[in-house]
Amino acid sequence: MTEIELLDPPCTVQVRTRATARRFTLRLSPSGDGAVLTQPPGVAASDTQAFLTEHAGWLRRALERQPEVVTVRHGARLPVDGTAYIVDVQDGPRRAPMLEDHRLVLRGAGNEGRRIAQWLKLRARDRLAPAVKHYAAQLDRHVARVALRDTRSRWGSCSTTGTVSFSWRLAMAPVDVQEYVAAHEAAHLVEMNHSPRYWAVVARLMPDWKPRRDWLRRHGRELHLYRFD
């Protein structure tokens, strides 16, 4: 994978070459501040650049339509398990965040964003680790290790050694979407690809996987708009 820095519009385009690609496809990156270009093998660099030049107008408009970045602090709205909560930072000794009514209550000021991010990581781990092991067991497979990362290009990954990684930002997505990603990665323990045989494994684990995947395709980019600095 290579990267191209565009000046108009100013953004980074990740260029991926796929053996199964028959044409150029351009979409926004999950973070919403760049793009991903998928192309067939053997494409000349000049053809890649020409395609990006031709579609610069579309890319500029798509980037302009992106929602604004949300800094997670007192008063911000933050989704947890797909439900929006108001961040409520209160005085007093520091305590871990708690969900109360429609508020995410954080006691003790200072490093609010980072503390909430760590809390989300723990929630993601506590749900996704048991879920992926549950689905793996249904396939008579073993998960060697579960890792949480803040990945931009994918929600999960599975290695040939059985290590499964997830984006901890999934803690902000609906629970059924989190379950889908866990099943998706467990299926890779059987098929390390996205062939029809792979999707048959996913369907065996989760017959209603398509609407869950569709939610992630429509709204997943929004989860990268939250900043926890």
Side-chain angles (χ1 to χ4, degrees):
M1 183 175 64
T2 60
E3 292 186 348
I4 296 177
E5 296 294 333
L6 297 183
L7 297 178
D8 183 22
C11 70
T12 301
V13 178
Q14 296 178 347
V15 181
R16 300 175 177 176
T17 300
R18 293 283 172 82
T20 56
R22 295 293 178 265
R23 57 186 176 84
F24 287 108
T25 57
L26 182 65
R27 60 180 176 84
L28 292 185
S29 62
S31 62
D33 57 3
V36 178
L37 175 65
T38 303
Q39 63 183 19
V43 173
S46 57
D47 292 336
T48 300
Q49 189 62 57
F51 180 87
L52 290 173
T53 300
E54 180 182 353
H55 292 81
W58 174 88
L59 183 54
R60 186 183 308 107
R61 292 189 296 272
L63 290 169
E64 290 173 350
R65 288 196 298 267
Q66 289 302 292
E68 293 185 3
V69 169
V70 177
T71 299
V72 177
R73 57 191 176 192
H74 180 75
R77 293 175 63 86
L78 178 73
V80 179
D81 291 345
T83 299
Y85 292 86
I86 301 295
V87 176
D88 183 5
V89 180
Q90 301 180 357
D91 293 332
R94 284 196 176 190
R95 289 177 52 185
M98 295 179 59
L99 298 178
E100 298 180 3
D101 298 324
H102 298 290
R103 298 173 299 138
L104 194 167
V105 177
L106 183 67
R107 290 185 171 85
N111 297 321
E112 293 92 345
R114 294 181 183 178
R115 291 163 61 195
I116 291 173
Q118 184 60 33
W119 177 74
L120 288 172
K121 293 174 187 178
L122 294 176
R123 287 182 68 91
R125 182 201 63 190
D126 290 346
R127 175 165 289 125
L128 292 168
V132 71
K133 292 176 182 178
H134 165 76
Y135 290 118
Q138 292 187 31
L139 300 171
D140 197 25
R141 293 295 191 274
H142 173 69
V143 176
R145 188 171 72 92
V146 176
L148 277 298
R149 298 187 173 92
D150 192 9
T151 49
R152 294 284 179 175
S153 60
R154 58 180 63 184
W155 296 108
S157 63
C158 178
S159 74
T160 56
T161 60
T163 295
V164 180
S165 300
F166 296 104
S167 168
W168 58 261
R169 289 176 182 266
L170 285 167
M172 295 185 278
V175 173
D176 62 343
V177 174
Q178 298 177 43
E179 290 282 339
Y180 159 70
V181 179
H184 183 111
E185 298 309 326
H188 279 308
L189 295 169
V190 177
E191 294 285 344
M192 294 294 292
N193 51 58
H194 287 102
S195 65
R197 288 191 303 178
Y198 164 80
W199 290 110
V201 176
V202 174
R204 178 150 49 102
L205 293 174
M206 184 174 289
D208 62 340
W209 62 271
K210 288 185 178 180
R212 306 181 192 216
R213 181 195 63 180
D214 291 345
W215 186 96
L216 207 51
R217 288 182 171 180
R218 291 193 306 270
H219 303 288
R221 189 179 298 115
E222 299 167 11
L223 304 184
H224 288 282
L225 296 174
Y226 294 90
R227 297 290 181 264
F228 297 86
D229 301 330

